[in-house]
Amino acid sequence: MKKLSPLPSHATGMELDEAALKAAATSHLDDGAVTPAFSQHRDDIVRLLNDALATELVCVLRYKRHHFTAHGMASPAIAAEFMVHATEEAAHADLIARRIVQLGGEPDFAPDTLLARSHADYDTSSDLKAMVKANLVAERIAVEAYRQMIALIGDKDPTTKRMLEGILADEEEHADELKDLLET
């Protein structure tokens, strides 16, 4: 069997514009990885990410409150799960804040506006089942928010999209775990 050799790139029409690569790479060096082609979407993406950051921070606070105030026979295991989720939500917040900085923005940690910018609510339930439900609702909100953000960002910022897809997978797992806790 005769082995076919690949076509040269110029024969397929799949060539990079070397001059455009160099022009994009050498202009506005202070912007780091942000090239002129991307900068038109940067402010909108940073705004979406700052709202996601607020959501993650509110979730950390809600999970920690529930961890420390859970009581009843099933509470030790559920409270432990709340703390695991709080830690994972804090890690999401760190990823998002780091990405905002990479994009040339400033992460908004202002406590006085967290709730207004958050997609999820804070919760002060004292009943264990109500806590689990409140957290499940918040996780489902996060899942939908991340799905919408991923769709909005599309191919405008592949790095942010991949980061959000990873966070989305974690949020879906959290929702499944909370659903299971409601069934026990």
Side-chain angles (χ1 to χ4, degrees), residues 98-154:
R98 188 173 298 117
R99 185 63 184 154
I100 290 168
V101 170
Q102 287 172 342
L103 295 174
E106 292 189 19
D108 188 349
F109 285 91
D112 59 332
T113 62
L114 279 181
L115 277 174
R117 293 181 293 115
S118 174
H119 303 296
D121 294 328
Y122 184 74
D123 179 75
T124 59
S125 297
S126 57
D127 173 73
L128 193 57
K129 189 169 190 168
M131 289 177 183
V132 174
K133 281 184 180 180
N135 287 311
L136 177 55
V137 167
E139 292 294 354
R140 289 172 53 100
I141 288 170
V143 165
E144 184 57 28
Y146 284 119
R147 284 184 182 155
Q148 288 184 26
M149 283 190 288
I150 289 164
L152 287 169
I153 291 171

Side-chain angles (χ1 to χ4, degrees), residues 114 162 165:
L114 279 181
R162 279 192 309 275
E165 288 170 340

